[in-house]
Amino acid sequence: MRAQVLTAAGCPLVAAERPAARPGPQQLLIAVRACAVCRTDLHVVDGELPDPKLPLVPGHEIIGIVVERGDLADRFAIGDRVGVPWLGWTCGVCEYCRSGRENLCDRARFTGYQIDGGYAELTVADQRYCFAIDPRYGDVDAAPLMCAGLIGYRTLRMAGDARLIGIYGFGAAAHIVAQVVRYQGRRFFGFTRPGDRPAQDFARSLGAEWAGGSDQPPPEPLDAALIFAPIGALVPAALAATKKGGTVVSGGIHMSDIPSFPYRILWEERVLRSVANLTRRDAEEFLALAPVAGIRTETVTYPLTHANDALADLRNGALQGAAVLIP
Ligand SMILES: [Zn+2]
Ligand SMILES: [Zn+2]
């Protein structure tokens, strides 16, 4: 099978021809139909996340068809369509797994990081971490739901019942979360790179009541802020824009250093927190909600062989919505 492989951090992916992996007892062999490109893939390729499996097939927003099953793998049938997310395996016995926080499992393994992922024609995944995909979605449309959607949804959940939400960084996760916010009858403002008019128009087209640069104060203070751009300076900016008692949630896995800031912008019971990974409950909730809420994804497709171009376009902020690779 053909794959795009990372051989060393900081190097471009290389095209490789590999034998298909055999599914273990709990695993499925999946023919990849589409795999979205997540900012986390960039952090892995650029060496900003420690100790990836090498060589590695990146990609953790996989939509594919089950073509072979391990001896104990009976959750799905041959021919079923499944989605494979970032959370690839958990231990089930650590204090986090036993308390409904498997996203924090001490021994968790992640797709496209410690497990070969979806930048390939075939991939192998543990059936317990695979999900059925609603037939209302095409393969390409569904792919960004698997991380931008799932982790975006978890990020929004951590903002509680905030009515007016600021969304910082208007990429793949934001464009999905914005639609959930509107579906839930809440309001949002969109914050983009200063001067990025196309992104601000995109935010308004998804229902932003106001869109502007992240250096601008919003027209009214926020109840909560969600940060999806990997820029530490957005943390004090978001805190300063958020009301007393409000929450700022950082949804990314990596961020540049946060500059020091005066305590008064945190004081008055503002909460600053991060979100790490996802639980299977997040996935089940979000994948049930998405078709009912009419969540649409905006995608730009690339052939699998052009994976490096997709990563470059994401790195350069040249994408509106999500890049999706097609083998
Ligand atoms: Zn665990
Ligand atoms: Zn991701």
Side-chain angles (χ1 to χ4, degrees), residues 261-273:
F261 54 84
Y263 175 63
R264 67 180 157 73
I265 65 173
L266 177 64
W267 188 60
E268 294 169 321
E269 303 198 343
R270 290 177 185 85
V271 174
L272 172 61
R273 68 166 297 162

Side-chain angles (χ1 to χ4, degrees), residues 36-41 60-61 86 146-148 151 253:
V37 176
C38 176
R39 184 166 288 283
T40 298
D41 301 345
H60 58 269
E61 300 188 87
W86 169 246
M146 296 311 299
C147 187
I151 295 185
I253 192 169

